[in-house]
Amino acid sequence: MLGLTLWDFAIRSGRQRRGDALRFGLIAGGLIGAVMAIIGDPGTRWFDEPLDVLGYCLAGLCAGGVAYRLGYCRR
């Protein structure tokens, strides 16, 4: 839901390149990861939360790449 809102902003502002899709995916993943780290389980080890945030960032990058390929690559 957050990624779709960011991508709608990107389209309206003329940012529709592959790098823009990856950047907005990374932003969405980072925001979701940060929120999950804040409201996450307090009993976890100290290194679990940063790894989770990195995982969400990676998932956001992948989602941005897939969204770009599905939306703009015609073969």
Side-chain angles (χ1 to χ4, degrees):
M1 199 167 170
L2 178 66
L4 184 59
T5 305
L6 284 171
W7 191 244
D8 183 53
F9 168 74
I11 289 172
R12 282 188 275 135
S13 64
R15 297 180 181 150
Q16 297 178 356
R17 296 180 322 198
R18 182 175 183 267
D20 296 325
L22 294 175
R23 186 176 318 112
F24 282 117
L26 178 64
I27 290 169
L31 288 174
I32 293 169
V35 168
M36 294 302 287
I38 291 169
I39 64 171
D41 184 18
T44 60
R45 294 176 296 230
W46 67 271
F47 57 85
D48 285 342
E49 297 298 334
L51 290 176
D52 286 345
V53 172
L54 288 175
Y56 279 105
C57 289
L58 181 62
L61 277 172
C62 292
V66 168
Y68 178 80
R69 285 187 64 93
L70 288 175
Y72 293 101
C73 292
R74 309 263 187 236
R75 290 189 187 224

